[in-house]
Amino acid sequence: MTALYDADLGNNQLSGSLPKSLAKLTQTRLLFLDHNKVQGSIPIQLGHLPKIEYLYLSHNELTGELPMDLLSQLSTIVDLRLNKNALTGTVPPEIESLHRLEFLSLANNQLNGQLPDVFDRLH
């Protein structure tokens, strides 16, 4: 099913880890999996979604660091919501490469360190 354009699975009781096979959704521009019970780390394969504009993974039980490889590949992302998880580590500088990004939510995680210079390009 590679021709799925929009997938809204938010506000359910979905659990388990994010399947790496999500990378096969090469036409998907909207993927909502927020407000579920999804666990584990964010697979870098999500960076292989060449048309993704809206990615909502907030309000889950995701752990681990923000994958740098994933962030640097999301060139079409406009809205990225990863808030209310258990993500750790720093906000990677690769976030600066997301030139189309208009909305970013990382609140209510366990992130630390310095903020990247991405905020310098905003006006």
Side-chain angles (χ1 to χ4, degrees), residues 6-60:
D6 298 332
D8 185 353
L9 300 169
N11 294 295
N12 285 292
Q13 297 293 316
L14 298 175
S15 60
S17 60
L18 291 170
K20 294 176 181 175
S21 59
L22 286 173
K24 294 179 181 178
L25 301 174
T26 59
Q27 299 301 311
T28 303
R29 60 180 194 85
L30 179 148
L31 180 57
F32 292 172
L33 288 164
D34 54 317
H35 293 87
N36 279 294
K37 296 181 180 192
V38 178
Q39 304 165 335
S41 60
I42 302 171
I44 61 170
Q45 287 82 357
L46 288 180
H48 299 160
L49 299 174
K51 296 185 179 182
I52 194 76
E53 294 179 19
Y54 302 89
L55 180 58
Y56 292 11
L57 300 176
S58 60
H59 296 264
N60 277 294

Side-chain angles (χ1 to χ4, degrees), residues 32 34 54-60 62 77 79-85 87 101 103-106 109:
F32 292 172
D34 54 317
Y54 302 89
L55 180 58
Y56 292 11
L57 300 176
S58 60
H59 296 264
N60 277 294
L62 296 171
I77 199 81
D79 189 342
L80 178 60
R81 300 181 190 209
L82 300 172
N83 54 299
K84 289 213 173 182
N85 281 291
L87 299 171
L101 189 65
F103 188 91
L104 172 65
S105 184
L106 299 173
N109 280 291

